[in-house]
Amino acid sequence: TRVTGPFGGWELTGTGRAADTERITAELDASGARPVVARVYDGFLPLNRELLDLCTTWQLRPADGSHDSRVLNVLADFHRRADEAVCRDLSAVLHRFSRYRVRLSTALVRAKAGEHQYVVDDLAAYHTVWFQLHEDMLATLGLERT
């Protein structure tokens, strides 16, 4: 269904969400990936807090950009650890998660190349893609955001 307003777009109907849940549950059960996804999600949570803090630091940086490179280096280190702890293992058990590895890497490369909106201020920004990964893991495990 179409959602209007400043953040409008398309969203699943209740029927669509139910069908999506059925398909995701069937995929998870057929693949036998539930234990891996659950373990990865547990490791994701502390990384999520870390990224939120990093994004806050980015947004509150001085207007002169004097510590952009330092924050981007911290993001690059975060990315390496997140890829090892989250994305690699998810991609190995459910191929659809591999798109996050590509999208997160692309956002980081673009941000480090000077396109700073790819940290938090774009639909393809690192933070946005990370949020989508989080939502996908929640849906995959049948969890509600807390």
Side-chain angles (χ1 to χ4, degrees):
T1 188
R2 180 85 171 134
V3 178
T4 60
F7 299 104
W10 294 95
E11 88 178 1
L12 289 173
T13 62
T15 303
R17 264 193 284 292
D20 187 51
T21 298
E22 275 183 39
R23 289 184 179 114
I24 288 172
T25 300
E27 174 196 37
L28 191 59
D29 292 341
S31 69
R34 185 178 298 276
V36 173
V37 177
R39 176 186 52 77
V40 168
Y41 183 70
D42 287 342
F44 171 90
L45 293 173
L47 287 168
N48 188 55
R49 286 187 291 278
E50 185 178 338
L51 181 64
L52 294 177
D53 289 344
L54 180 63
C55 290
T56 299
T57 299
W58 177 262
Q59 291 172 319
L60 297 176
R61 72 195 191 284
D64 66 5
S66 60
H67 75 277
D68 287 0
S69 64
R70 184 185 62 77
V71 177
L72 288 170
N73 287 337
V74 173
L75 180 60
D77 177 65
F78 171 88
H79 175 74
R80 179 191 52 76
R81 291 181 293 111
D83 189 62
E84 290 173 3
V86 176
C87 297
R88 181 188 61 208
D89 290 350
L90 286 175
S91 298
V93 295
L94 293 172
H95 180 70
R96 66 184 167 81
F97 280 102
S98 63
R99 68 182 179 252
Y100 296 106
R101 292 183 90 177
V102 173
R103 293 177 64 215
L104 289 165
S105 293
T106 299
L108 177 62
V109 166
R110 292 186 80 167
K112 288 189 71 114
E115 296 179 80
H116 293 158
Q117 70 271 22
Y118 284 93
V119 177
V120 296
D121 296 323
D122 192 274
L123 289 175
Y126 200 96
H127 176 260
T128 305
V129 176
W130 184 262
F131 175 84
Q132 292 166 349
L133 170 61
H134 191 178
E135 289 295 312
D136 201 349
M137 282 192 290
L138 289 170
T140 300
L141 292 170
L143 300 173
E144 294 291 324
R145 183 174 285 276
T146 56

